[in-house]
Amino acid sequence: MFYDPSVRIEEREDVYSPAEDSVLLIESLNVSDGERVLEIGCGSGVVAIHCAKNGACVTAVDINPAAVELTRKNAALNGSYIDIRLSDLYEDIDSNFNTIVFNLPYLPVNESGALEKAWSGGDDGIGPLPKLLNGVRDHLLPRGRFVVVVSSLMNKEKLDSVLSEYDVNVLGKKKLFFEELSVLEIRL
């Protein structure tokens, strides 16, 4: 997909705003017409909206009620139909998808506020990745994929250990001032 600058995204101070990682994820991800996509941690909805505009059937969830409200607003602003729900990871998900996407909280910090949860990946930066991977089998269709953003700031040894049993491909990379971001496609 291409990042479409004409997509209108309103922001709120209590919701993670689209940044370089969001654009990298959008530009690294290709979705097909009719593909069933679940975005976990939808924030402003920018990724979900781009997927919907490319023909995907999108469900978007976030643990932050303000993010759910903002995604609804931004989807309406862009004329995008998206099934938007308040959910902690897979908690309110009972369907299966071709693609599950998550701009993972990957910074190695421990912060607990509603907004901080969007970037706080704990001491090692791995955050909810192991829990996500434990539930992914129950929510992916055959030949499905799980796509995440990771950072060079994460504990590489632990990340490699968590991903060791999966087929992992790098879809995109971006070097920033203090880190390198990568978009990983994980297949079971």
Side-chain angles (χ1 to χ4, degrees):
M1 289 189 301
F2 294 101
Y3 178 78
D4 182 354
S6 71
V7 169
R8 295 179 13 208
I9 299 295
E10 291 194 7
E11 299 179 15
R12 289 175 55 150
E13 65 182 33
D14 53 351
V15 176
Y16 185 74
S17 295
E20 294 95 345
D21 52 355
S22 308
V23 174
L24 175 64
L25 178 56
I26 290 165
E27 292 184 343
S28 300
L29 183 63
N30 286 317
V31 296
S32 303
D33 194 34
E35 183 172 338
R36 294 178 48 79
V37 174
L38 169 64
E39 183 186 13
I40 298 174
C42 59
S44 68
V46 68
V47 174
I49 291 165
H50 275 80
C51 289
K53 286 195 163 294
N54 279 273
C57 300
V58 182
T59 299
V61 301
D62 204 294
I63 193 172
N64 180 352
V68 170
E69 180 182 314
L70 184 59
T71 295
R72 284 190 178 119
K73 183 176 189 176
N74 285 329
L77 278 173
N78 289 281
S80 298
Y81 175 76
I82 300 171
D83 178 9
I84 303 162
R85 304 176 189 182
L86 181 66
S87 182
D88 183 6
L89 305 178
Y90 304 112
E91 186 177 274
D92 189 36
I93 300 300
D94 54 8
S95 302
N96 292 73
F97 301 87
N98 303 102
T99 300
I100 297 174
V101 179
F102 192 15
N103 189 353
L104 192 66
Y106 52 74
L107 292 179
V109 295
N110 279 307
E111 297 180 15
S112 59
L115 178 59
E116 290 79 10
K117 285 182 180 180
W119 64 72
S120 180
D123 292 334
D124 54 18
I126 302 299
L129 184 59
K131 186 175 180 181
L132 282 160
L133 289 170
N134 285 338
V136 79
R137 281 179 166 76
D138 296 332
H139 299 286
L140 275 180
L141 291 166
R143 296 181 305 283
R145 64 191 174 147
F146 181 58
V147 179
V148 295
V149 177
V150 297
S151 167
S152 59
L153 298 176
M154 298 169 100
N155 180 311
K156 178 155 177 39
E157 190 174 296
K158 184 156 184 192
L159 178 63
D160 289 345
S161 174
V162 167
L163 297 176
S164 65
E165 65 183 87
Y166 301 96
D167 181 19
V168 179
N169 294 309
V170 177
L171 299 180
K173 286 187 172 201
K174 182 170 182 103
K175 186 124 177 93
L176 301 174
F177 174 68
F178 59 93
E179 69 182 324
E180 183 174 59
L181 300 175
S182 298
V183 176
L184 304 181
E185 177 184 70
I186 302 165
R187 294 197 182 258
L188 306 180

